[in-house]
Amino acid sequence: MDCGIFTSKTVLLFLSLVFWAAGVVLAYVGAHIIKSYDNFDSFIQDKYTLVPAAIIIGISVVMFIFGLVGCCATLRESKVGLSFFFLIITAIFAAEVAALVFSFIYKGKINADLERSMSEVFVHYDGQTTETKAVDYLQTQLLCCGVMNYTSWSNTTWSNSHNNTVPLSCCKNRTSQCPGRMDQPDLLNTQGCEVKLGQLLHDVLSYAMLVILGFAIIKFFGMLSVCVITCKTGNRRSSYQPLYA
């Protein structure tokens, strides 16, 4: 058997099988992005950063279905099936490229929106509202305090009405030994939440972009394999060669 055709068929069969694993991974990545944003949705007013996650999950669903199509087309030696599989790979490749572009664009917009939206949430902190729970969760999970740093609380209604203190969620250890006073910074998490949340969101998008890029490369080689098989079998024979003839 021609080495090029054998290699291309093997690549296509492997690509068909890897579609299911890829679908699982992409579904996990998309869900992880949505969960990360959902945890801090009170601080993110614009939902455009969820576009890459939606694209990733959509891709994962069709990959489960089309993985079966590709496997059957390869094993049954169907030219029609391979042509359809090529269109599938091309469409998914284009979607992955689109997700990469969206991720790259939106990654640069995160920091610009965070300060404004976070300041609006922090200013409504009163110890009882939904914003209060969101702020406490944020400061506890990210070990931060205030928007820029712990002194950001000095301009809030909460601090002015509570003897110039910060919420107890700013404390390193939430005990009676930490009253939340600003003149005791050694007991507080002093770093601002904007930087930490921005870094978290950047890391999530960077992770997603790497995963998408890896699978896009696989799709690219899959398209090349279909082209090699189509060209060589069209010139040399009318029937499809057995996989391991």
Side-chain angles (χ1 to χ4, degrees):
M1 177 189 290
D2 183 276
C3 182
I5 294 180
F6 176 83
T7 301
S8 297
K9 291 178 181 179
T10 303
V11 168
L12 282 180
L13 185 58
F14 173 76
L15 179 61
S16 300
L17 297 177
V18 89
F19 257 81
W20 291 299
V24 172
V25 173
L26 288 176
Y28 170 78
V29 171
H32 180 64
I33 294 175
I34 292 177
K35 182 179 179 181
S36 297
Y37 281 94
D38 185 59
N39 288 337
F40 308 110
D41 60 350
S42 296
F43 307 101
I44 307 173
Q45 296 181 347
D46 297 317
K47 302 302 180 182
Y48 55 74
T49 43
L50 292 178
V51 173
I55 294 177
I56 292 173
I57 292 179
I59 292 173
S60 69
V61 172
V62 298
M63 286 181 78
F64 282 111
I65 300 174
F66 294 152
L68 179 62
V69 173
C71 187
C72 292
T74 302
L75 294 177
R76 292 175 62 86
E77 305 173 354
S78 170
K79 288 186 176 181
V80 174
L82 284 174
S83 298
F84 182 59
F85 191 44
F86 177 82
L87 295 178
I88 293 172
I89 298 174
T90 303
I92 295 178
F93 178 79
E96 289 172 337
V97 172
L100 278 174
V101 173
F102 276 119
S103 297
F104 182 79
I105 293 174
Y106 296 149
K107 188 176 180 181
K109 295 184 177 181
I110 291 177
N111 290 338
D113 295 331
L114 274 182
E115 182 177 358
R116 171 178 52 82
S117 58
M118 289 182 69
S119 296
E120 293 178 358
V121 174
F122 272 70
V123 77
H124 290 97
Y125 186 97
D126 61 3
Q128 297 178 345
T129 61
T130 302
E131 287 84 356
T132 295
K133 295 180 180 179
V135 170
D136 284 337
Y137 179 82
L138 176 72
Q139 295 188 146
T140 301
Q141 293 296 313
L142 300 186
L143 302 178
C144 59
C145 185
V147 178
M148 305 304 295
N149 54 54
Y150 74 103
T151 61
S152 298
W153 282 103
S154 61
N155 298 321
T156 63
T157 303
W158 166 269
S159 180
N160 294 332
S161 61
H162 289 77
N163 298 320
N164 199 34
T165 60
V166 298
L168 294 181
S169 56
C170 284
C171 294
K172 294 179 180 178
N173 295 305
R174 299 181 64 175
T175 64
S176 58
Q177 297 179 352
C178 178
R181 292 173 53 182
M182 293 190 190
D183 58 357
Q184 296 178 333
D186 54 311
L187 300 178
L188 306 174
N189 295 309
T190 58
Q191 188 173 356
C193 294
E194 179 191 351
V195 174
K196 286 200 169 185
L197 180 56
Q199 185 60 51
L200 173 64
L201 299 180
H202 273 281
D203 291 343
V204 170
L205 276 180
S206 296
Y207 170 65
M209 290 171 68
L210 287 176
V211 173
I212 296 172
L213 179 61
F215 286 115
I217 293 174
I218 295 176
K219 306 303 184 305
F220 177 74
F221 281 107
M223 290 187 291
L224 287 180
S225 298
V226 173
C227 291
V228 170
I229 294 175
T230 301
C231 291
K232 291 199 173 185
T233 56
N235 292 333
R236 296 171 51 187
R237 58 187 64 81
S238 59
S239 60
Y240 192 83
Q241 289 185 346
L243 181 60
Y244 295 108

